[in-house]
Amino acid sequence: MNSTKILIVEDEKDIRCSLSELLRKACYQTIEATNGRSALDIFSPGIDLVILDVMLPDMSGFDVCSAIREKSTVPVLFLTAMGSEADIIHGLEVGGDDYLKKPFLAGELMARINSLFRRSRFYNAAPHDKKESFLFCGPLKLSLDRNYCENNGLSVQLTDTEYCILRLLLKRKGDPLSPRYIYEQVWNEPFLDNSANTVMVHIRSLRRKLELDPHHPKLIQTAWAKGYMISKKEKA
Ligand code: CA
């Protein structure tokens, strides 16, 4: 049994138990919550990932995610029965990293979880001995080695997904990157119809955190019909 802890927030007993069983078989430790309040009571910095149902009896999973985001950048995977485009986008806007529509296959779930852990493990590892390298763009400073970002001298809390997107754009400064390319690089999964929206929502969230005027972005620009880019000229 490894020490990785996954918090499962799901009111439907059958789904909660089968999720827990599946994850335990994969050697994760699981903690279960049946509603939003208890999820927030249980949540602690020791939790490594949250699987969050949207329709909970006392509050919505979206509100639970917003509350978690006030104190943590832990990976959050939404389980949604609704699955409409608007719901999915809302889930990502409140800070979710990814979503899975019910009913889902065990293989799909494990692929999502592995992809989230890959991002978070890689970039939240303990600082190693070698000197840390940074990428710069105007007042923006991003570590190449871990999820650490500064803008105008102040540290900015990014989720691991946001960090990975920003790192990719900065490494490829001057190149417009298509949503497909960004998705395949960061999520490490095949690009589907909804994936462009998933990328768009995370770009919007990055702009909210980094731009003076998120509606008129200077740092992360939209290259019409091509994708997103950070200009080589330092305008931000
Ligand atoms: Ca539910």
Side-chain angles (χ1 to χ4, degrees), residues 9-12 15 53-57 79 81 102:
V9 190
E10 168 65 80
D11 56 315
E12 284 168 70
I15 300 180
D53 182 33
V54 172
M55 303 271 271
L56 295 165
L79 292 183
K102 291 184 199 170

Side-chain angles (χ1 to χ4, degrees), residues 137-205:
C137 184
L140 182 73
K141 176 180 174 184
L142 190 80
S143 169
L144 255 174
D145 308 302
R146 64 189 172 114
N147 182 351
Y148 180 78
C149 176
E150 269 179 29
N151 199 20
N152 293 307
L154 297 172
S155 92
V156 182
Q157 289 271 306
L158 302 179
T159 65
D160 298 315
T161 307
E162 290 160 359
Y163 168 78
C164 289
I165 295 173
L166 186 59
R167 183 177 186 270
L168 185 64
L169 287 166
L170 276 170
K171 278 176 91 174
R172 298 280 305 273
K173 223 196 272 186
D175 294 338
L177 305 181
S178 70
R180 171 185 289 271
Y181 179 78
I182 294 172
Y183 191 82
E184 287 171 352
Q185 292 292 312
V186 173
W187 275 261
N188 202 22
E189 281 177 52
F191 186 82
L192 303 171
D193 286 349
N194 289 330
S195 307
N197 278 332
T198 301
V199 172
M200 181 263 293
V201 174
H202 283 91
I203 294 277
R204 213 148 67 191
S205 160

